[in-house]
């Protein structure tokens, strides 16, 4: 029996694209991309993404560069796969296609928004989005639906971004610094690991809100 979305005459629902942005796209945004993908796989099972695509780019991206070695180590620390990564410079097409842009810093957020493409309502720093998401009642979001090809997660993700944008002017950061993930480039592995821990903690409620599935204890 065909399920919803299985009609061959209807085009498949477009995926929901999440874009992580930092400066060089060799440290912070690759860590965030791979930890985010890994968390989705753990919540949703295997490699199934539920229609959510996670990518990254850099405002001064090292096009074609590998992930920085310490960044790759941090990914592996959390069980995420750092393999096959290549850096990208942030282009207009990346912003146009993205449904949600999460940046490492406020400056990155400002640079993305300055590119236009109506990016303002869907661009946040990672820690800003974390703060807003934690204030949203999950009961107000569409429930995941296993009967749908994307498990209903695309609709849920779009609703989450809209709710977060509506809260932004009301739920301010305690300090500007609290919305920043600092650049570990050139630092020792201990600092990379502290940044990885910040990123992992910031991602946890975001992934829970996107999927409706809490992290395993």
């Amino acid at each position: 029996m065909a399920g919803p979305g299985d009609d061959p005459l209807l085009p498949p629902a477009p995926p929901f694209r999440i874009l992580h942005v930092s400066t060089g796209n060799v440290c912070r945004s690759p860590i965030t991309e791979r930890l985010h993908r890994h968390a989705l796989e753990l919540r949703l099972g295997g490699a199934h993404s539920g229609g959510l695509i996670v990518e990254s780019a850099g405002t001064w991206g090292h096009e074609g560069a590998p992930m920085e070695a310490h960044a790759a180590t941090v990914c592996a620390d959390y069980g995420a796969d750092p393999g096959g990564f290549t850096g990208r410079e942030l282009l207009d097409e990346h912003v146009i296609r993205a449904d949600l842009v999460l940046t490492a810093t406020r400056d990155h957020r400002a640079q993305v928004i300055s590119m236009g493409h109506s990016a303002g309502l869907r661009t946040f720093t990672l820690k800003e989005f974390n703060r807003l998401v934690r204030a949203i009642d999950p009961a107000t979001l569409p429930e995941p639906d296993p009967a749908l090809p994307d498990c209903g997660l695309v609709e849920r993700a779009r609703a989450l971004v809209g709710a977060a944008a509506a809260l932004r002017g009301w739920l301010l950061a305690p300090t500007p610094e609290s919305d920043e993930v600092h650049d570990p480039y050139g630092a020792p592995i201990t600092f990379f690991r502290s940044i990885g821990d910040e990123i992992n903690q910031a991602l946890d409620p975001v992934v829970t809100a996107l999927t409706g599935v809490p992290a395993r204890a």
Side-chain angles (χ1 to χ4, degrees):
M1 179 182 293
D6 290 340
D7 189 331
L9 298 179
L10 295 177
F16 184 93
R17 293 183 176 271
I18 301 168
L19 178 68
H20 291 289
V21 174
S22 63
T23 303
N25 193 218
V26 292
C27 296
R28 287 168 290 181
S29 51
I31 291 172
T32 315
E33 173 198 310
R34 294 306 171 94
L35 292 188
H36 198 159
R37 287 187 187 179
H38 182 60
L40 287 172
E41 290 170 4
L42 290 176
R43 309 290 175 94
L44 300 174
H48 178 61
S49 67
L52 307 179
I53 295 176
V54 184
E55 305 170 307
S56 65
T59 55
W60 290 88
H62 301 297
E63 189 72 29
M67 191 185 307
E68 203 276 346
H70 287 340
T73 297
V74 169
C75 289
D77 285 346
Y78 289 93
D81 182 8
F85 181 86
T86 54
R88 302 193 304 175
E89 182 176 356
L90 181 67
L91 302 176
D92 288 272
E93 65 188 65
H94 301 144
V95 177
I96 291 168
R97 292 194 306 168
D99 297 289
L100 171 62
V101 184
L102 298 176
T103 69
T105 69
R106 291 167 294 146
D107 282 347
H108 296 134
R109 181 184 64 194
Q111 289 179 67
V112 171
I113 293 173
S114 74
M115 294 172 73
H117 314 302
S118 304
L121 292 177
R122 51 193 167 91
T123 304
F124 309 79
T125 75
L126 172 62
K127 288 188 174 180
E128 175 191 21
F129 197 64
N130 165 287
R131 184 178 69 253
L132 298 172
V133 159
R134 287 187 288 112
I136 295 169
D137 181 356
T140 64
L141 301 174
E143 284 290 331
D145 185 352
L148 298 175
D150 64 2
C151 298
L153 296 183
V154 170
E155 181 187 2
R156 182 182 177 92
R158 295 189 193 285
L160 182 68
V161 172
L167 277 177
R168 178 151 44 191
W170 299 92
L171 192 62
L172 302 179
T175 67
E177 282 291 301
S178 64
D179 277 346
E180 306 274 290
V181 176
H182 295 293
D183 191 355
Y185 187 75
I189 186 61
T190 51
F191 188 66
F192 267 85
R193 284 187 164 127
S194 71
I195 292 299
D197 186 56
E198 280 185 38
I199 291 170
N200 190 59
Q201 290 189 43
L203 280 172
D204 181 70
V206 171
V207 177
T208 297
L210 284 168
T211 64
V213 181
R216 296 176 183 174

